[in-house]
Amino acid sequence: MDARDELTAARAVFALLDSGLAAEDVLLEVIAPVQHKVGVEWAAGRITVAQEHAATAIHDRIIAAMAHRTGPKSREPEETGVSVTVACVEGEWHALPARILAETLRLRGHRVDFLGAQVPTPHLIAHLHRTAPDVVALSSSLPTRLPTAHAAITAVQATGVPVLAGGAAFASDGRYARRLGADAWAAEAREAADVLDRGLSRPHMDAARTAVEDLPHLSDQEYTMVSRGKRQLVRNTLAGLERRLPAMRSYGEAERERTAEDVAHIVDFLAAALYIDDVRLFTGFLDWTGDILEARGVPAQVLLPGMDLLQEDLKDFPRALDLLAQGAAVLHGRDRFPRIPGTGTGT
């Protein structure tokens, strides 16, 4: 994993294919588990972000090579299935899960149009009008992209095309996909192929639903106010931390940037939890962040002063206050149940 030896990795994959292992099995039982291990190693602080990106890029290029490989034991799958557009939602740069899905569906005989990472919703809709697929498969790994995913789901359905959602953003049981009105959800690529084999009904070509129609709690405007006020919330929190923690005044530029990023992530996940109205999204993020920090020798409780300051700033927002209070309880609880670095939830 650390050697970043693309040639050796490619030879190993092609040897498995030459031995008779199906390409789908190589994708889902070799490449996908190794990629998951890469994420675990990064979370545990045993590899750097650069090393994680290098490994991901190698996997992406090997999958591309597999798709165009010719040889005595390779054959092009017959296109007997439906036409599927596979895309990551706007702002989602984790494209490898979608790439693995696209290739799995192609191997199953579906006609696949893979659009890759970070597809703005207006451009996706324009593309659908030109290509008229049977299904759109939307991928997202980051829960902070759920509001954008919701907009994409409703916009696609307004064109009469059903949406199959997948990726870690939608939760391990798909509850957020259902809450956002997706026509179907799949936990992994084989399940997605099975969903397509069973078929999806086309939605009515009505005007796109408003977010409040699917999520009535949004009428309280807390999500809107927090998301639009993110910059000021981060600025206020940093100023408050400097008053409370004199040591921050001696921080260099890099340390200040990391602190600002940490506060911004907390606000982003708070906003996403307000949008979806599920405390588990926020507390799960804080617990995962605690694992990341502790793996690097930093106590998770370092996040608590910033949480306190956010509570002061958001004192007029009852749902936000409840989320922050439950998040703080999770961080306090880690004192009683210390974690082992490297056993967190992964990336």
Side-chain angles (χ1 to χ4, degrees):
M1 183 182 300
D2 185 45
R4 303 182 301 283
D5 188 341
E6 182 173 346
L7 183 58
T8 298
R11 285 173 175 166
V13 165
F14 295 152
L16 290 171
L17 293 170
D18 289 338
S19 72
L21 189 63
E24 181 178 307
D25 293 334
V26 172
L27 285 169
L28 303 181
E29 297 175 18
V30 179
I31 294 176
V34 171
Q35 181 65 26
H36 175 74
K37 178 65 173 176
V38 169
V40 170
E41 291 297 291
W42 170 82
R46 291 189 284 265
I47 64 173
T48 67
V49 170
Q51 289 171 309
E52 184 271 337
H53 285 184
T56 301
I58 288 172
H59 287 153
D60 188 71
R61 289 192 292 271
I62 288 175
I63 292 170
M66 287 174 59
H68 298 288
R69 182 172 178 269
T70 59
K73 293 190 177 183
S74 63
R75 59 184 179 86
E76 189 69 19
E78 295 182 16
E79 292 187 341
T80 57
V82 301
S83 61
V84 187
T85 295
V86 178
C88 294
V89 300
E90 186 171 355
E92 178 58 72
W93 292 98
H94 295 82
L96 192 65
R99 182 65 176 269
I100 290 174
L101 169 65
E103 187 58 20
T104 300
L105 296 181
R106 190 186 73 82
L107 289 167
R108 291 285 190 98
H110 298 291
R111 300 180 300 282
V112 178
D113 186 12
F114 177 59
L115 304 187
Q118 216 287 101
V119 182
T121 299
H123 294 273
L124 173 62
I125 300 306
H127 186 76
L128 300 185
H129 284 304
R130 289 194 298 271
T131 58
D134 297 308
V135 178
V136 169
L138 280 179
S139 175
S140 184
S141 297
L142 296 173
T144 52
R145 304 296 178 240
L146 286 173
T148 305
H150 192 193
I153 289 168
T154 57
V156 170
Q157 289 170 333
T159 70
V161 179
V163 175
L164 169 63
F170 297 101
S172 59
D173 59 359
R175 60 184 177 271
Y176 301 147
R178 291 187 290 274
R179 195 167 299 181
L180 299 182
D183 297 282
W185 168 80
E188 45 81 37
R190 284 196 177 105
E191 186 177 332
D194 292 340
V195 168
L196 294 185
D197 288 344
R198 292 192 295 270
L200 286 173
S201 300
R202 298 182 75 88
H204 295 293
M205 293 179 63
D206 299 324
R209 305 182 305 277
T210 65
V212 176
E213 289 180 79
D214 284 335
L215 306 171
H217 57 269
L218 293 178
S219 61
D220 66 14
Q221 295 294 302
E222 288 201 29
Y223 162 74
T224 301
M225 298 297 288
V226 170
S227 59
R228 289 182 180 175
K230 172 185 170 181
R231 183 174 299 179
Q232 189 62 48
L233 285 169
V234 172
R235 187 181 297 120
N236 292 350
T237 302
L238 292 175
L241 288 173
E242 286 200 3
R243 291 192 302 269
R244 291 190 180 193
L245 307 173
M248 269 195 65
R249 297 168 194 164
S250 62
Y251 278 10
E253 184 177 348
E255 291 171 307
R256 287 179 178 276
E257 286 182 1
R258 285 196 295 271
T259 303
E261 288 173 359
D262 288 342
V263 175
H265 286 317
I266 291 173
V267 176
D268 283 339
F269 275 85
L270 176 65
L274 287 169
Y275 190 90
I276 207 72
D277 198 31
D278 192 334
V279 68
R280 291 170 292 181
L281 191 155
F282 188 58
T283 55
F285 158 72
L286 290 172
D287 211 17
W288 173 80
T289 302
D291 288 345
I292 301 298
L293 290 171
E294 290 172 3
R296 288 153 178 79
V298 179
Q301 287 71 27
V302 73
L303 299 173
L304 287 169
M307 301 274 287
D308 291 341
L309 289 162
L310 285 170
Q311 285 181 299
E312 293 176 11
D313 241 3
L314 297 170
K315 59 182 181 296
D316 296 324
F317 298 84
R319 284 204 298 131
L321 286 177
D322 181 60
L323 290 170
L324 288 164
Q326 293 196 55
V330 166
L331 294 174
H332 281 298
R334 296 178 67 92
D335 274 339
R336 297 189 297 275
F337 303 101
R339 303 300 183 89
I340 300 172
T343 60
T345 57
T347 59

